[in-house]
Coordinates of all heavy atoms in Angstrom, one line a residue:
E15 N 53.8 47.7 69.9 CA 54.5 48.9 69.5 C 53.7 49.4 68.2 O 53.6 48.7 67.3 CB 55.9 48.5 69.1 CG 56.8 49.7 68.9 CD 58.2 49.2 68.7 OE1 58.7 48.3 69.4 OE2 58.8 49.7 67.7
S16 N 53.3 50.7 68.3 CA 52.6 51.3 67.1 C 53.3 52.3 66.5 O 54.1 53.1 67.2 CB 51.2 51.7 67.6 OG 51.3 52.8 68.4
L17 N 53.1 52.6 65.3 CA 53.7 53.7 64.5 C 52.9 54.9 64.7 O 51.7 54.9 64.7 CB 53.9 53.4 63.1 CG 54.8 52.2 62.7 CD1 54.6 51.8 61.3 CD2 56.2 52.4 63.1
S18 N 53.5 56.1 64.7 CA 52.8 57.3 64.8 C 52.2 57.6 63.3 O 52.8 57.1 62.4 CB 53.6 58.5 65.2 OG 54.6 58.7 64.3
A19 N 51.2 58.4 63.3 CA 50.5 58.6 61.9 C 51.5 59.2 61.0 O 51.4 58.9 59.8 CB 49.3 59.5 62.1
G20 N 52.5 60.0 61.4 CA 53.4 60.6 60.5 C 54.4 59.7 59.9 O 54.9 59.9 58.8
S21 N 54.6 58.5 60.5 CA 55.6 57.6 59.9 C 54.9 56.4 59.1 O 55.6 55.6 58.6 CB 56.4 57.0 61.0 OG 55.7 56.2 61.9
E22 N 53.6 56.5 59.1 CA 52.9 55.4 58.3 C 53.2 55.6 56.8 O 53.2 56.7 56.3 CB 51.4 55.4 58.6 CG 51.1 54.8 60.0 CD 49.7 54.8 60.2 OE1 48.9 54.8 59.3 OE2 49.3 54.6 61.4
V23 N 53.3 54.5 56.1 CA 53.4 54.6 54.6 C 52.3 53.9 54.0 O 52.0 52.7 54.3 CB 54.8 54.0 54.1 CG1 54.9 54.0 52.6 CG2 56.0 54.6 54.8
S24 N 51.5 54.6 53.2 CA 50.3 54.0 52.6 C 50.7 53.0 51.5 O 51.8 53.0 51.0 CB 49.4 55.1 52.0 OG 50.0 55.6 50.8
Q25 N 49.8 52.1 51.3 CA 50.1 51.0 50.2 C 50.2 51.7 48.9 O 51.1 51.3 48.1 CB 48.8 50.0 50.2 CG 49.1 48.8 49.4 CD 50.2 47.9 50.1 OE1 50.5 48.0 51.2 NE2 50.8 47.1 49.3
E26 N 49.4 52.7 48.7 CA 49.5 53.5 47.3 C 50.9 54.1 47.2 O 51.5 54.1 46.1 CB 48.4 54.5 47.3 CG 48.4 55.3 46.0 CD 47.4 56.3 45.9 OE1 46.6 56.5 46.9 OE2 47.3 57.0 44.8
S27 N 51.4 54.7 48.3 CA 52.7 55.4 48.2 C 53.8 54.3 47.9 O 54.7 54.5 47.1 CB 53.0 56.0 49.5 OG 54.3 56.6 49.5
L28 N 53.7 53.1 48.5 CA 54.7 52.0 48.2 C 54.6 51.6 46.7 O 55.6 51.4 46.1 CB 54.4 50.8 49.0 CG 54.8 50.9 50.5 CD1 54.3 49.6 51.3 CD2 56.3 51.0 50.6
L29 N 53.4 51.6 46.1 CA 53.3 51.2 44.7 C 53.9 52.2 43.8 O 54.5 51.9 42.8 CB 51.9 50.9 44.4 CG 51.2 49.7 45.0 CD1 49.7 49.7 44.7 CD2 51.8 48.4 44.5
L30 N 53.7 53.5 44.2 CA 54.1 54.6 43.3 C 55.7 54.8 43.4 O 56.3 55.3 42.6 CB 53.4 55.9 43.6 CG 51.9 55.8 43.3 CD1 51.2 57.1 43.8 CD2 51.7 55.7 41.8
H31 N 56.2 54.6 44.7 CA 57.6 55.1 44.9 C 58.4 54.0 45.5 O 59.6 54.2 45.7 CB 57.6 56.2 45.9 CG 56.7 57.3 45.5 ND1 57.0 58.1 44.4 CD2 55.6 57.8 46.0 CE1 56.0 59.1 44.3 NE2 55.2 58.8 45.2
G32 N 57.9 52.8 45.6 CA 58.7 51.6 46.2 C 59.7 51.0 45.3 O 59.9 51.5 44.1
P33 N 60.4 50.0 45.7 CA 61.5 49.4 44.9 C 61.0 48.8 43.6 O 61.8 48.6 42.7 CB 62.1 48.4 45.8 CG 61.1 48.1 46.9 CD 60.2 49.3 47.0
F34 N 59.7 48.5 43.5 CA 59.1 47.8 42.3 C 58.2 48.8 41.5 O 57.4 48.4 40.7 CB 58.4 46.5 42.7 CG 59.2 45.6 43.5 CD1 59.1 45.3 44.8 CD2 60.3 44.9 42.8 CE1 59.8 44.5 45.5 CE2 61.1 44.0 43.5 CZ 60.9 43.8 44.9
A35 N 58.4 50.0 41.8 CA 57.6 51.0 41.1 C 57.8 50.9 39.6 O 58.9 50.8 39.2 CB 57.8 52.4 41.6
R36 N 56.7 51.0 38.9 CA 56.9 51.0 37.4 C 57.1 52.4 36.9 O 56.7 53.4 37.3 CB 55.5 50.5 36.8 CG 55.2 49.0 37.0 CD 54.0 48.7 36.3 NE 53.6 47.3 36.6 CZ 52.6 46.7 36.1 NH1 51.8 47.3 35.3 NH2 52.3 45.4 36.4
K37 N 57.9 52.4 35.8 CA 58.2 53.6 35.1 C 57.0 54.0 34.3 O 56.3 53.1 33.9 CB 59.4 53.5 34.1 CG 60.7 53.3 34.8 CD 61.7 53.2 33.7 CE 63.1 53.0 34.4 NZ 64.2 52.8 33.3
P38 N 56.7 55.3 34.2 CA 55.5 55.6 33.3 C 55.8 55.1 31.9 O 56.9 55.1 31.4 CB 55.5 57.1 33.3 CG 56.6 57.6 34.2 CD 57.4 56.4 34.7
K39 N 54.7 54.6 31.3 CA 54.8 54.0 29.9 C 55.1 55.2 29.0 O 54.6 56.2 29.1 CB 53.5 53.5 29.5 CG 53.4 52.0 29.7 CD 52.1 51.5 29.0 CE 52.2 50.0 28.9 NZ 51.0 49.4 28.2
R40 N 56.1 54.9 28.1 CA 56.4 55.9 27.1 C 55.5 55.8 25.9 O 55.1 54.7 25.7 CB 57.9 55.9 26.7 CG 58.3 54.7 25.9 CD 59.9 54.8 25.6 NE 60.3 53.7 24.8 CZ 60.3 53.6 23.4 NH1 59.8 54.6 22.8 NH2 60.7 52.5 22.9
I41 N 55.3 56.9 25.3 CA 54.4 56.8 24.1 C 55.1 56.2 22.9 O 56.3 56.4 22.7 CB 54.1 58.3 23.7 CG1 53.3 59.0 24.9 CG2 53.2 58.3 22.4 CD1 53.1 60.4 24.6
R42 N 54.4 55.2 22.4 CA 55.0 54.4 21.3 C 55.0 55.3 20.0 O 54.0 55.9 19.6 CB 54.1 53.1 21.1 CG 54.7 52.2 20.2 CD 53.9 50.9 20.1 NE 54.5 50.0 19.2 CZ 54.4 48.7 19.3 NH1 53.6 48.2 20.2 NH2 55.0 47.9 18.4
T43 N 56.1 55.2 19.3 CA 56.3 56.0 18.1 C 55.7 55.2 16.9 O 55.9 54.0 16.7 CB 57.8 56.2 17.8 OG1 58.4 56.9 18.9 CG2 58.0 57.0 16.5
A44 N 54.8 55.9 16.2 CA 54.2 55.3 15.0 C 55.1 55.8 13.8 O 55.0 56.9 13.4 CB 52.8 55.8 14.8
F45 N 55.9 54.9 13.3 CA 56.8 55.2 12.2 C 56.1 55.1 10.8 O 55.2 54.3 10.6 CB 58.0 54.2 12.1 CG 58.8 54.2 13.3 CD1 58.8 53.1 14.2 CD2 59.7 55.3 13.6 CE1 59.6 53.2 15.3 CE2 60.5 55.3 14.7 CZ 60.4 54.3 15.6
S46 N 56.4 56.0 9.9 CA 55.8 56.1 8.6 C 56.5 54.9 7.8 O 57.5 54.4 8.2 CB 56.1 57.3 7.9 OG 57.5 57.5 7.5
P47 N 55.8 54.4 6.7 CA 56.5 53.4 5.9 C 57.9 53.7 5.5 O 58.7 52.8 5.5 CB 55.5 53.2 4.7 CG 54.2 53.7 5.3 CD 54.5 54.8 6.3
S48 N 58.1 54.9 5.0 CA 59.5 55.3 4.6 C 60.5 55.3 5.8 O 61.6 54.9 5.6 CB 59.4 56.6 3.9 OG 59.0 57.7 4.7
Q49 N 60.0 55.7 6.9 CA 60.9 55.7 8.1 C 61.3 54.3 8.4 O 62.4 54.0 8.8 CB 60.3 56.4 9.4 CG 60.2 57.9 9.2 CD 59.4 58.5 10.4 OE1 58.4 57.9 10.8 NE2 59.8 59.7 10.8
L50 N 60.3 53.4 8.4 CA 60.5 52.0 8.7 C 61.5 51.4 7.7 O 62.4 50.7 8.2 CB 59.2 51.2 8.6 CG 58.3 51.2 9.9 CD1 57.0 50.5 9.6 CD2 59.1 50.5 11.1
L51 N 61.4 51.7 6.5 CA 62.3 51.1 5.5 C 63.7 51.6 5.8 O 64.7 50.8 5.8 CB 61.9 51.6 4.1 CG 62.6 51.0 2.9 CD1 62.4 49.5 2.9 CD2 62.1 51.6 1.6
R52 N 63.9 52.9 6.0 CA 65.2 53.4 6.4 C 65.8 52.8 7.6 O 66.9 52.4 7.7 CB 65.2 54.9 6.5 CG 64.8 55.7 5.2 CD 66.0 56.1 4.4 NE 67.1 56.7 5.1 CZ 67.1 58.1 5.4 NH1 66.2 58.9 5.0 NH2 68.2 58.6 6.0
L53 N 64.9 52.6 8.7 CA 65.4 52.0 9.9 C 65.8 50.6 9.7 O 66.8 50.1 10.3 CB 64.3 52.2 11.0 CG 64.0 53.6 11.5 CD1 62.8 53.6 12.3 CD2 65.2 54.1 12.4
E54 N 65.0 49.8 9.0 CA 65.3 48.4 8.7 C 66.6 48.3 7.9 O 67.4 47.4 8.2 CB 64.2 47.8 8.0 CG 62.9 47.6 8.8 CD 61.7 47.1 8.1 OE1 61.7 47.1 6.8 OE2 60.6 46.8 8.8
R55 N 66.8 49.2 7.0 CA 68.1 49.1 6.2 C 69.3 49.4 7.1 O 70.3 48.7 7.0 CB 68.0 50.1 5.0 CG 67.2 49.6 3.9 CD 67.1 50.5 2.7 NE 66.3 50.0 1.7 CZ 65.9 50.8 0.7 NH1 66.1 52.1 0.6 NH2 65.1 50.3 -0.3
A56 N 69.1 50.4 8.0 CA 70.2 50.7 8.9 C 70.5 49.6 9.9 O 71.6 49.2 10.2 CB 69.9 52.0 9.7
F57 N 69.4 48.9 10.3 CA 69.5 47.8 11.2 C 70.2 46.6 10.5 O 71.0 45.9 11.2 CB 68.2 47.4 11.7 CG 68.2 46.2 12.8 CD1 68.6 46.5 14.0 CD2 67.8 45.0 12.4 CE1 68.6 45.5 15.0 CE2 67.8 44.0 13.3 CZ 68.3 44.2 14.6
E58 N 69.9 46.4 9.2 CA 70.6 45.3 8.5 C 72.1 45.5 8.4 O 72.9 44.5 8.5 CB 70.0 45.2 7.1 CG 68.7 44.6 7.0 CD 68.1 44.7 5.6 OE1 68.8 45.0 4.7 OE2 66.9 44.4 5.5
K59 N 72.5 46.7 8.2 CA 74.0 47.0 8.2 C 74.6 46.9 9.6 O 75.8 46.5 9.7 CB 74.2 48.4 7.7 CG 73.8 48.6 6.2 CD 74.0 50.1 5.8 CE 73.5 50.3 4.4 NZ 73.5 51.8 4.1
N60 N 73.9 47.4 10.6 CA 74.5 47.4 11.9 C 73.4 47.3 13.0 O 72.5 48.1 13.0 CB 75.3 48.7 12.1 CG 76.0 48.8 13.4 OD1 75.9 47.8 14.2 ND2 76.7 49.8 13.7
H61 N 73.4 46.2 13.8 CA 72.4 46.0 14.8 C 72.3 47.0 15.9 O 71.4 47.1 16.6 CB 72.4 44.6 15.3 CG 71.9 43.6 14.3 ND1 70.7 42.9 14.5 CD2 72.4 43.1 13.1 CE1 70.6 42.1 13.5 NE2 71.6 42.2 12.6
Y62 N 73.5 47.7 16.1 CA 73.6 48.7 17.1 C 73.9 50.1 16.5 O 75.1 50.4 16.3 CB 74.6 48.3 18.2 CG 74.2 47.0 18.9 CD1 74.8 45.8 18.4 CD2 73.3 47.0 19.8 CE1 74.5 44.6 19.0 CE2 72.9 45.8 20.5 CZ 73.5 44.6 20.0 OH 73.2 43.4 20.7
V63 N 72.9 50.9 16.3 CA 73.1 52.2 15.7 C 73.3 53.2 16.9 O 72.4 53.4 17.7 CB 71.9 52.7 14.8 CG1 72.2 54.0 14.2 CG2 71.6 51.6 13.7
V64 N 74.5 53.7 17.0 CA 74.9 54.5 18.1 C 75.7 55.8 17.6 O 76.1 55.8 16.5 CB 75.7 53.8 19.2 CG1 74.9 52.7 19.9 CG2 77.0 53.2 18.6
G65 N 75.8 56.7 18.6 CA 76.7 57.9 18.3 C 76.2 58.8 17.2 O 75.0 59.0 16.9
A66 N 77.2 59.2 16.3 CA 77.0 60.1 15.3 C 76.0 59.5 14.2 O 75.1 60.2 13.7 CB 78.2 60.5 14.6
E67 N 76.1 58.2 14.0 CA 75.3 57.5 13.0 C 73.8 57.6 13.4 O 72.9 57.9 12.7 CB 75.7 56.1 12.8 CG 74.9 55.4 11.7 CD 75.3 53.9 11.5 OE1 76.2 53.4 12.3 OE2 74.7 53.3 10.6
R68 N 73.6 57.4 14.7 CA 72.2 57.4 15.3 C 71.6 58.9 15.2 O 70.5 59.1 14.9 CB 72.2 56.9 16.7 CG 70.9 56.9 17.4 CD 71.0 56.6 18.8 NE 69.7 56.3 19.4 CZ 69.4 55.2 20.1 NH1 70.2 54.3 20.2 NH2 68.2 55.1 20.6
K69 N 72.5 59.8 15.5 CA 72.1 61.2 15.5 C 71.7 61.6 14.1 O 70.7 62.3 13.8 CB 73.2 62.1 16.0 CG 72.8 63.5 16.3 CD 73.9 64.3 17.0 CE 73.5 65.6 17.5 NZ 74.4 66.2 18.4
Q70 N 72.6 61.3 13.1 CA 72.3 61.6 11.7 C 71.1 60.9 11.2 O 70.3 61.5 10.5 CB 73.6 61.2 10.8 CG 73.6 61.7 9.4 CD 72.8 60.8 8.5 OE1 72.7 59.6 8.6 NE2 72.1 61.5 7.5
L71 N 70.9 59.6 11.5 CA 69.7 58.9 11.1 C 68.4 59.5 11.7 O 67.4 59.7 11.0 CB 69.8 57.5 11.5 CG 68.7 56.5 11.1 CD1 68.5 56.4 9.6 CD2 68.9 55.1 11.6
A72 N 68.4 59.8 12.9 CA 67.3 60.5 13.6 C 67.0 61.8 12.9 O 65.8 62.1 12.6 CB 67.6 60.7 15.1
S73 N 68.0 62.6 12.6 CA 67.8 63.9 12.0 C 67.2 63.7 10.6 O 66.3 64.4 10.3 CB 69.1 64.6 11.9 OG 69.0 65.8 11.3
S74 N 67.7 62.8 9.8 CA 67.2 62.6 8.5 C 65.8 62.1 8.4 O 65.1 62.2 7.4 CB 68.2 61.7 7.7 OG 68.1 60.3 8.1
L75 N 65.3 61.4 9.6 CA 64.0 60.9 9.6 C 63.0 61.8 10.3 O 61.9 61.4 10.6 CB 64.0 59.5 10.2 CG 64.8 58.4 9.4 CD1 64.8 57.2 10.3 CD2 64.0 58.1 8.2
S76 N 63.5 62.9 10.8 CA 62.7 63.9 11.6 C 62.2 63.2 12.9 O 61.1 63.3 13.3 CB 61.5 64.4 10.8 OG 62.0 65.1 9.7
L77 N 63.1 62.4 13.6 CA 62.8 61.8 14.8 C 63.9 62.2 15.8 O 64.9 62.8 15.5 CB 63.0 60.3 14.6 CG 62.0 59.6 13.7 CD1 62.4 58.1 13.4 CD2 60.6 59.6 14.2
S78 N 63.6 62.0 17.1 CA 64.6 62.2 18.1 C 65.5 61.0 18.2 O 65.1 59.9 17.7 CB 63.9 62.5 19.5 OG 63.3 61.3 20.0
E79 N 66.6 61.2 18.8 CA 67.6 60.1 19.0 C 67.0 58.9 19.7 O 67.2 57.8 19.5 CB 68.9 60.5 19.6 CG 69.7 61.3 18.6 CD 71.1 61.7 19.3 OE1 71.8 60.8 19.6 OE2 71.3 62.9 19.5
T80 N 66.2 59.3 20.8 CA 65.5 58.2 21.5 C 64.5 57.4 20.8 O 64.1 56.3 21.1 CB 64.9 58.8 22.8 OG1 64.0 59.8 22.5 CG2 65.9 59.4 23.8
Q81 N 64.0 58.0 19.7 CA 63.0 57.3 18.9 C 63.6 56.3 17.9 O 62.9 55.5 17.4 CB 62.1 58.3 18.1 CG 61.1 59.0 19.0 CD 60.4 60.1 18.2 OE1 61.0 60.9 17.6 NE2 59.1 60.0 18.4
V82 N 64.9 56.5 17.7 CA 65.6 55.5 16.8 C 66.0 54.3 17.6 O 66.8 54.4 18.5 CB 66.9 56.2 16.2 CG1 67.7 55.2 15.3 CG2 66.5 57.4 15.4
P83 N 65.4 53.1 17.2 CA 65.7 51.9 18.0 C 67.1 51.4 17.9 O 67.8 51.7 17.0 CB 64.7 50.9 17.5 CG 64.1 51.5 16.3 CD 64.5 52.9 16.2

């Protein structure tokens, strides 16, 4: 039993779109020394910075919310 050419799935397609496909790497943020200090102090107070606190911290450091770990 053979598959028609239209139903074949290439190995490359499986790697790019299959169940184990890797997400594209995100660009690593290079924090300035002052940003690192502020982030470390925030982390010491609370290991999970979320919600309004995260938004405010990101804004004060000129970072996006996703850049605040």
Side-chain angles (χ1 to χ4, degrees):
E15 194 176 308
S16 67
L17 298 171
S18 65
S21 65
E22 288 182 16
V23 178
S24 73
Q25 192 68 21
E26 182 180 1
S27 179
L28 282 174
L29 290 173
L30 293 174
H31 307 291
F34 303 108
R36 291 185 183 179
K37 290 182 184 177
K39 269 191 161 180
R40 69 179 179 90
I41 297 170
R42 189 173 181 156
T43 303
F45 298 109
S46 71
S48 62
Q49 288 174 325
L50 275 175
L51 187 62
R52 294 269 311 273
L53 289 168
E54 287 170 352
R55 285 181 179 164
F57 184 76
E58 284 172 10
K59 291 178 188 174
N60 184 359
H61 286 250
Y62 298 99
V63 182
V64 293
E67 186 182 0
R68 182 184 189 127
K69 191 172 192 171
Q70 190 277 327
L71 183 60
S73 177
S74 71
L75 294 172
S76 300
L77 297 170
S78 71
E79 286 183 63
T80 56
Q81 290 174 306
V82 175

